Amino acid sequence: MNDLTACVVTPRVSIEGFDPLGVAVHRASTIVFEDAAAYEARGQRGHNGYSYGLYGTPTTRTLEEKLTLLEQGTRTFLAPSGQSANALGVLPFLSAGDKILIVDTAYPPMRDFALRDLARMGVLVDFYDPLSIDDLESRLDSRTRIVWCESPGSTTMEVQDLPRISALAKKAGALVGFDNTWATPLNFKPLVHGADIVTEALTKYVSGHSDVLMGSITVGNETLIEPIRGLFGRYGIGVSSDDASLVLRGFETLGVRLKHSSDVAHRLMDRIARHPLVAAVLHPARAACPGHEFWKRDFLGGSGVFGILFKPEAAAHVAEAMNTFRIFAIGASWGGTRSLAAPMPVKPHRTATQWREADLVLRLNIGLESEEDLAADIDRFLDQLDRSTTAPERALRAADGPLSRIG
Ligand SMILES: *Cc1c(COP(=O)(O)O)cnc(C)c1O
């Protein structure tokens, strides 16, 4: 073998006795075959075989397998982001004339995808109230192919009664899709409670370090595998083994991170809820959260992401008060080690329901910093909010009478 060839043809060393705990990063586009006949027959290698890097490597399959186990599903597909998992999780099942019913509290890009792209394909798009079974029932018909759930709802945290929704959808012949990002497969198992397809933004808690984007789709039934697998191939959707390896590494500490963030969040929420300018703290574990009873019945725990709803006279001053944060960083996404704060509007993302509170929810993600430092940051923020909200504004609001309280 000449040197130039030796540069290219890499020797295989023995891996006997090498048994690491970590999962190797297998980078590949090309996969080689022992002979031409094996190459020609590569299409028959089935879902678990290897034929081309896009369709899976041992690294991506390991992550898929871990998710399938935790979701108690049949098979998992990895997508480049949580939102791509949502879009690609419903796309193979919809044609012109079909209807998709999306929960009104869905992650806003899912609404956008449906209203722009699915509608352009001729799919009928409608939204339903997360808390009203009657509303869902009135919109369900024989054209409905998918009922899309997200629980708790984005930003406002309403918890859905998945078993009832699923029973209704099944009767109408529709599939149930469920975005489980807030709970993660540790705290809720949608497939066990009646969903057919569950998606996760692995970007958030599962990867856990704010440095990678990925999503997953897990199905609970063999017949749903081929439509998704086929669509992924035709659209050329896959993820890199390097990214999958980052997610696998973060996954190992998911349990302790989630538990810690949730415990600290509970104590901080009590502190925040006592403030007179706070109208409600939005988190499914709080008794006043709409759908709290379903959370108690179906979920195995909570996470460290919650919303703060302010009295109307204070809402306009939240942005200014956020300048006092020293520990909370301001930014989108959540589920990483750093605590984050993000002001979120609600009204532009609701059509089937009406949001009657102040149109700003401050979403907090509780990370892994010292609880004492986080509490001090929250106190600083609330003190500034108090100073900014002037006496005349308070008097004006007091004259309006008591506000509706949602929790
Ligand atoms: C963040 C999020 C997504 C999207 O995840 P990306 O990986 O950022 O695309 C989807 N659903 C929910 C509920 C989310 O919070």
Side-chain angles (χ1 to χ4, degrees):
M1 192 187 286
N2 290 316
D3 282 359
L4 281 181
T5 305
C7 286
V8 175
V9 181
T10 302
R12 298 281 159 121
V13 300
S14 167
I15 56 166
E16 203 186 300
F18 179 72
D19 197 6
L21 287 171
V23 179
V25 178
H26 293 276
R27 296 195 186 96
S29 52
T30 300
I31 285 154
V32 296
F33 297 79
E34 60 273 24
D35 53 30
Y39 178 72
E40 270 172 42
R42 69 193 181 284
Q44 285 137 48
R45 288 191 167 190
H47 297 319
N48 294 318
Y50 296 106
S51 56
Y52 187 55
L54 185 71
Y55 310 133
T57 68
T59 316
T60 59
R61 292 275 167 83
T62 303
L63 177 54
E64 289 172 355
E65 190 63 26
K66 191 175 272 210
L67 284 158
T68 303
L69 272 168
L70 283 165
E71 305 273 18
Q72 297 185 28
T74 306
R75 192 168 189 96
T76 298
F77 299 87
L78 299 177
S81 67
Q83 174 52 22
S84 67
N86 286 350
L88 298 165
V90 300
L91 198 54
F93 306 105
L94 294 166
S95 307
D98 292 343
K99 186 167 169 181
I100 183 170
L101 285 176
I102 299 177
V103 67
D104 208 33
T105 44
Y107 180 62
M110 186 59 177
R111 293 179 73 92
D112 239 25
F113 163 69
L115 288 169
R116 291 173 187 270
D117 299 293
L118 294 179
R120 185 167 40 76
M121 286 166 45
V123 174
L124 306 166
V125 176
D126 199 6
F127 297 89
Y128 68 94
D129 184 333
L131 299 167
S132 169
I133 292 290
D134 290 345
D135 183 55
L136 174 64
E137 200 161 17
S138 73
R139 296 170 198 264
L140 256 176
D141 59 32
S142 60
R143 295 169 303 179
T144 311
R145 287 288 293 136
I146 296 195
V147 175
W148 184 258
C149 306
E150 180 181 325
S151 175
S154 264
T155 310
T156 49
M157 301 285 177
E158 297 85 346
V159 184
Q160 298 188 258
D161 186 352
L162 177 58
R164 272 195 81 188
I165 291 169
S166 163
L168 275 179
K170 300 252 143 89
K171 217 167 63 189
L175 293 168
V176 175
F178 194 103
D179 183 335
N180 194 41
T181 298
W182 183 86
T184 83
L186 279 190
N187 283 332
F188 188 50
K189 310 218 182 265
L191 298 177
V192 174
H193 291 89
D196 302 288
I197 300 161
V198 56
T199 62
E200 309 279 350
L202 305 174
T203 307
K204 307 274 174 60
Y205 274 116
V206 176
S207 67
H209 294 73
S210 314
D211 57 0
V212 63
L213 284 149
M214 200 175 293
S216 63
I217 305 170
T218 305
V219 297
N221 177 328
E222 291 279 343
T223 63
L224 304 177
I225 294 175
E226 192 44 50
I228 298 178
R229 184 178 150 92
L231 185 116
F232 266 54
R234 295 189 297 276
Y235 278 68
I237 305 291
V239 304
S240 80
S241 292
D242 294 85
D243 286 352
S245 145
L246 284 175
V247 177
L248 278 164
R249 174 189 275 230
F251 217 140
E252 295 188 19
T253 55
L254 174 64
V256 285
R257 286 186 286 107
L258 205 51
K259 170 91 172 57
H260 176 83
S261 293
S262 160
D263 289 351
V264 173
H266 278 97
R267 291 189 287 271
L268 295 177
M269 285 192 291
D270 286 341
R271 191 183 193 94
I272 293 164
R274 286 195 293 267
H275 196 279
L277 289 178
V278 170
V281 173
L282 310 172
H283 186 286
R286 298 184 71 83
C289 183
H292 169 70
E293 63 273 28
F294 309 129
W295 178 81
K296 252 189 13 199
R297 184 190 64 194
D298 299 338
F299 284 57
L300 304 164
S303 77
V305 175
F306 60 93
I308 311 173
L309 183 63
F310 299 92
K311 299 275 176 67
E313 67 270 29
H317 304 290
V318 168
E320 184 194 345
M322 286 173 72
N323 291 332
T324 62
F325 282 140
R326 293 180 199 160
I327 310 293
F328 281 90
I330 297 170
S333 202
W334 39 266
T337 58
R338 277 296 298 276
S339 291
L340 295 175
M344 314 287 290
V346 179
K347 278 199 181 119
H349 309 302
R350 300 287 181 271
T351 48
T353 58
Q354 276 203 329
W355 182 251
R356 294 193 176 82
E357 314 293 328
D359 195 18
L360 181 141
V361 170
L362 182 64
R363 188 181 61 205
L364 295 187
N365 166 64
I366 303 304
L368 303 181
E369 305 92 339
S370 135
E371 182 173 348
E372 197 187 327
D373 289 346
L374 292 173
D377 226 20
I378 283 170
D379 288 349
R380 259 191 303 276
F381 164 80
L382 290 171
D383 287 350
Q384 179 60 48
L385 193 66
D386 213 41
R387 280 194 298 277
S388 303
T389 308
T390 61
E393 281 175 295
R394 288 170 206 258
L396 212 63
R397 295 304 312 185
D400 286 348
L403 290 156
S404 58
R405 287 188 67 105
I406 65 166

